[in-house]
Coordinates of all heavy atoms in Angstrom, one line a residue:
V313 N 9.0 -1.6 -1.5 CA 10.1 -2.5 -1.9 C 9.7 -3.9 -1.6 O 8.9 -4.2 -0.7 CB 11.4 -2.1 -1.1 CG1 11.2 -2.3 0.4 CG2 12.6 -2.8 -1.6
Y314 N 10.2 -4.8 -2.5 CA 9.8 -6.2 -2.3 C 10.8 -6.9 -1.4 O 10.4 -7.7 -0.5 CB 9.8 -7.0 -3.7 CG 9.7 -8.4 -3.6 CD1 8.4 -9.0 -3.3 CD2 10.7 -9.3 -3.8 CE1 8.3 -10.4 -3.2 CE2 10.6 -10.7 -3.7 CZ 9.3 -11.2 -3.4 OH 9.2 -12.6 -3.3
S315 N 12.1 -6.7 -1.6 CA 13.1 -7.4 -0.8 C 14.3 -6.5 -0.6 O 14.8 -5.8 -1.6 CB 13.5 -8.7 -1.5 OG 14.5 -9.3 -0.8
M316 N 14.9 -6.4 0.6 CA 16.1 -5.7 0.8 C 17.1 -6.6 1.5 O 16.8 -7.2 2.5 CB 15.8 -4.5 1.7 CG 14.9 -3.4 1.1 SD 14.5 -2.1 2.1 CE 16.0 -1.3 2.4
N317 N 18.3 -6.7 0.9 CA 19.3 -7.6 1.4 C 20.7 -7.0 1.5 O 21.4 -7.0 0.6 CB 19.4 -8.8 0.5 CG 18.1 -9.6 0.3 OD1 17.5 -9.9 1.3 ND2 17.7 -9.7 -0.9
P318 N 21.0 -6.4 2.7 CA 22.3 -5.8 2.8 C 23.3 -7.0 2.9 O 23.1 -8.0 3.4 CB 22.3 -5.1 4.2 CG 21.2 -5.8 4.9 CD 20.2 -6.3 3.9
E319 N 24.5 -6.7 2.3 CA 25.6 -7.8 2.2 C 26.9 -7.1 2.6 O 27.2 -6.1 2.2 CB 25.7 -8.3 0.8 CG 24.4 -9.0 0.4 CD 24.5 -9.5 -1.1 OE1 25.5 -9.1 -1.8 OE2 23.6 -10.2 -1.5
S320 N 27.6 -7.8 3.5 CA 28.9 -7.3 3.9 C 29.8 -8.5 4.4 O 29.3 -9.6 4.7 CB 28.8 -6.2 5.0 OG 28.3 -6.9 6.2
S321 N 31.0 -8.3 4.5 CA 31.9 -9.4 4.9 C 33.1 -8.7 5.7 O 33.5 -7.6 5.4 CB 32.5 -10.0 3.7 OG 33.5 -11.0 4.0
A322 N 33.5 -9.4 6.7 CA 34.6 -9.0 7.5 C 35.4 -10.2 8.1 O 34.9 -11.2 8.3 CB 34.1 -8.1 8.7
K323 N 36.7 -9.9 8.3 CA 37.5 -11.0 8.9 C 38.2 -10.3 10.1 O 38.8 -9.2 10.0 CB 38.6 -11.4 8.0 CG 39.4 -12.6 8.5 CD 40.5 -13.0 7.5 CE 39.8 -13.7 6.4 NZ 40.8 -14.4 5.5
T324 N 38.1 -11.0 11.3 CA 38.6 -10.4 12.5 C 39.6 -11.4 13.1 O 39.3 -12.6 13.3 CB 37.5 -10.2 13.5 OG1 36.5 -9.3 12.9 CG2 38.0 -9.6 14.8
Y325 N 40.7 -10.9 13.4 CA 41.8 -11.7 14.1 C 41.8 -11.3 15.5 O 41.9 -10.1 15.8 CB 43.1 -11.5 13.5 CG 43.2 -11.9 12.0 CD1 43.3 -11.0 11.0 CD2 43.3 -13.2 11.7 CE1 43.4 -11.3 9.7 CE2 43.4 -13.6 10.4 CZ 43.4 -12.7 9.4 OH 43.5 -13.1 8.0
A326 N 41.8 -12.3 16.4 CA 41.8 -11.9 17.9 C 42.6 -13.0 18.6 O 42.4 -14.3 18.3 CB 40.4 -11.8 18.4
G327 N 43.5 -12.7 19.5 CA 44.2 -13.6 20.2 C 43.5 -14.0 21.5 O 42.4 -13.6 21.8
G328 N 44.2 -14.8 22.3 CA 43.6 -15.3 23.6 C 43.4 -14.1 24.5 O 44.1 -13.2 24.5
G329 N 42.3 -14.1 25.1 CA 41.9 -13.0 26.1 C 41.2 -11.8 25.4 O 40.9 -10.9 26.0
S330 N 40.9 -11.9 24.1 CA 40.3 -10.8 23.4 C 38.8 -10.9 23.6 O 38.2 -11.9 24.0 CB 40.6 -11.0 21.9 OG 41.9 -10.9 21.6
F331 N 38.2 -9.8 23.4 CA 36.7 -9.6 23.5 C 36.2 -9.8 24.9 O 35.0 -10.2 25.0 CB 36.0 -10.5 22.5 CG 36.4 -10.4 21.0 CD1 37.0 -11.3 20.3 CD2 36.3 -9.1 20.5 CE1 37.4 -11.2 19.0 CE2 36.7 -8.9 19.1 CZ 37.2 -9.9 18.4
N332 N 37.0 -9.7 25.9 CA 36.5 -9.7 27.2 C 35.9 -8.4 27.6 O 36.4 -7.3 27.3 CB 37.7 -10.1 28.2 CG 38.2 -11.4 28.0 OD1 37.4 -12.3 27.7 ND2 39.5 -11.6 28.2
S333 N 34.8 -8.4 28.4 CA 34.2 -7.2 28.9 C 33.7 -7.4 30.3 O 33.4 -8.6 30.7 CB 33.1 -6.8 28.0 OG 32.1 -7.7 28.0
G334 N 33.7 -6.4 31.1 CA 33.2 -6.6 32.5 C 34.1 -5.8 33.4 O 35.1 -5.2 33.0
D335 N 33.8 -5.9 34.7 CA 34.6 -5.2 35.7 C 35.5 -6.2 36.4 O 35.2 -7.3 36.7 CB 33.7 -4.6 36.8 CG 32.7 -3.6 36.2 OD1 33.1 -2.9 35.2 OD2 31.6 -3.4 36.7
G336 N 36.8 -5.8 36.5 CA 37.8 -6.6 37.2 C 38.2 -7.8 36.6 O 38.5 -8.8 37.2
I337 N 38.3 -7.9 35.2 CA 38.8 -9.0 34.5 C 40.3 -9.0 34.6 O 41.0 -8.1 34.3 CB 38.4 -9.0 33.0 CG1 36.8 -9.2 33.0 CG2 39.0 -10.0 32.2 CD1 36.3 -9.1 31.6
R338 N 40.9 -10.2 34.9 CA 42.3 -10.4 34.9 C 42.6 -11.6 34.0 O 42.1 -12.7 34.2 CB 42.8 -10.7 36.3 CG 44.3 -11.0 36.3 CD 44.8 -11.1 37.8 NE 44.7 -9.9 38.4 CZ 44.9 -9.7 39.7 NH1 45.1 -10.8 40.5 NH2 44.9 -8.5 40.3
V339 N 43.5 -11.3 32.9 CA 43.8 -12.3 32.0 C 45.3 -12.4 32.0 O 46.0 -11.4 31.8 CB 43.3 -12.0 30.6 CG1 43.8 -13.1 29.6 CG2 41.8 -11.9 30.5
N340 N 45.9 -13.6 32.2 CA 47.3 -13.8 32.2 C 47.6 -14.9 31.2 O 47.4 -16.1 31.4 CB 47.8 -14.2 33.6 CG 49.3 -14.3 33.6 OD1 50.0 -14.1 32.6 ND2 49.9 -14.7 34.8
L341 N 48.1 -14.5 30.0 CA 48.4 -15.4 29.0 C 49.9 -15.7 28.7 O 50.2 -16.5 27.9 CB 47.8 -14.9 27.6 CG 46.3 -14.7 27.7 CD1 45.9 -14.1 26.4 CD2 45.6 -16.0 27.9
A342 N 50.7 -15.1 29.5 CA 52.2 -15.2 29.3 C 52.5 -14.8 27.9 O 52.3 -13.7 27.5 CB 52.7 -16.6 29.7
N343 N 53.1 -15.7 27.1 CA 53.4 -15.4 25.7 C 52.3 -16.0 24.8 O 52.1 -17.2 24.7 CB 54.8 -16.0 25.3 CG 55.9 -15.4 26.0 OD1 55.8 -14.2 26.3 ND2 56.9 -16.2 26.4
S344 N 51.6 -15.1 24.1 CA 50.4 -15.5 23.3 C 50.7 -15.0 21.9 O 51.1 -13.9 21.7 CB 49.1 -14.9 23.8 OG 48.1 -15.3 23.0
T345 N 50.5 -15.9 20.9 CA 50.7 -15.5 19.5 C 49.4 -15.8 18.7 O 48.7 -16.8 18.9 CB 51.8 -16.3 18.9 OG1 53.0 -16.2 19.7 CG2 52.1 -16.0 17.5
T346 N 49.0 -14.8 17.8 CA 47.9 -15.0 16.9 C 48.4 -15.1 15.5 O 49.0 -14.2 15.0 CB 46.9 -13.8 17.1 OG1 46.5 -13.8 18.4 CG2 45.7 -14.0 16.1
Y347 N 48.2 -16.2 14.9 CA 48.6 -16.4 13.5 C 47.6 -15.9 12.5 O 46.4 -16.3 12.6 CB 49.0 -17.9 13.2 CG 50.1 -18.4 14.1 CD1 49.8 -19.2 15.2 CD2 51.4 -18.1 13.8 CE1 50.8 -19.6 16.1 CE2 52.4 -18.6 14.6 CZ 52.1 -19.3 15.8 OH 53.1 -19.8 16.6
V348 N 48.0 -15.0 11.6 CA 47.0 -14.5 10.7 C 47.3 -14.9 9.2 O 46.8 -14.3 8.3 CB 47.0 -12.9 10.8 CG1 46.5 -12.5 12.2 CG2 48.3 -12.3 10.5
Y349 N 48.1 -15.9 9.0 CA 48.4 -16.3 7.6 C 47.2 -17.0 7.1 O 46.6 -17.9 7.6 CB 49.6 -17.3 7.6 CG 49.9 -17.9 6.3 CD1 50.4 -17.1 5.3 CD2 49.7 -19.2 6.0 CE1 50.6 -17.6 4.0 CE2 49.9 -19.8 4.8 CZ 50.4 -19.0 3.8 OH 50.7 -19.5 2.6
D350 N 46.7 -16.5 5.9 CA 45.5 -17.1 5.3 C 45.8 -17.3 3.8 O 45.6 -16.4 3.0 CB 44.4 -16.1 5.4 CG 43.0 -16.7 5.0 OD1 43.0 -17.9 4.7 OD2 42.1 -16.0 4.9
P351 N 46.2 -18.5 3.4 CA 46.7 -18.7 2.0 C 45.6 -18.7 1.0 O 45.8 -18.5 -0.1 CB 47.3 -20.1 2.1 CG 46.7 -20.8 3.2 CD 46.4 -19.7 4.2
D352 N 44.3 -19.0 1.4 CA 43.3 -19.1 0.4 C 42.7 -17.7 0.0 O 42.0 -17.6 -1.0 CB 42.1 -20.0 0.8 CG 41.4 -19.6 2.0 OD1 41.9 -18.6 2.7 OD2 40.5 -20.3 2.4
Q353 N 42.9 -16.7 0.7 CA 42.5 -15.3 0.4 C 41.0 -15.1 0.5 O 40.6 -14.0 0.9 CB 43.0 -14.8 -0.9 CG 44.5 -14.9 -1.1 CD 45.2 -13.9 -0.2 OE1 44.8 -12.8 0.0 NE2 46.3 -14.4 0.4
V354 N 40.2 -16.0 0.1 CA 38.7 -15.8 0.1 C 38.1 -16.9 1.1 O 38.2 -18.0 0.7 CB 38.1 -15.9 -1.3 CG1 36.6 -15.7 -1.2 CG2 38.7 -14.8 -2.2
D355 N 37.4 -16.5 2.1 CA 36.7 -17.4 2.9 C 35.2 -17.7 2.5 O 34.8 -18.8 2.5 CB 36.8 -16.9 4.4 CG 38.2 -16.9 4.9 OD1 38.9 -17.8 4.6 OD2 38.5 -16.0 5.7
Q356 N 34.5 -16.6 2.2 CA 33.2 -16.7 1.8 C 32.9 -15.6 0.8 O 33.0 -14.4 1.2 CB 32.2 -16.6 3.0 CG 30.7 -16.8 2.6 CD 29.9 -16.8 3.8 OE1 30.3 -16.8 4.9 NE2 28.6 -16.8 3.6
S357 N 32.6 -15.9 -0.4 CA 32.3 -14.8 -1.4 C 30.9 -14.3 -1.3 O 30.0 -15.0 -0.8 CB 32.6 -15.4 -2.8 OG 31.6 -16.5 -3.1

Side-chain angles (χ1 to χ4, degrees):
V313 65
Y314 173 73
S315 176
M316 295 175 65
N317 301 308
E319 297 174 351
S320 67
S321 174
K323 182 180 288 189
T324 303
Y325 298 106
S330 299
F331 304 118
N332 291 324
S333 61
D335 296 330
I337 292 177
R338 178 178 287 171
V339 178
N340 184 1
L341 298 173
N343 294 326
S344 177
T345 304
T346 301
Y347 298 101
V348 295
Y349 176 68
D350 188 10
D352 62 357
Q353 301 296 317
V354 177
D355 293 323
Q356 181 175 356
S357 61

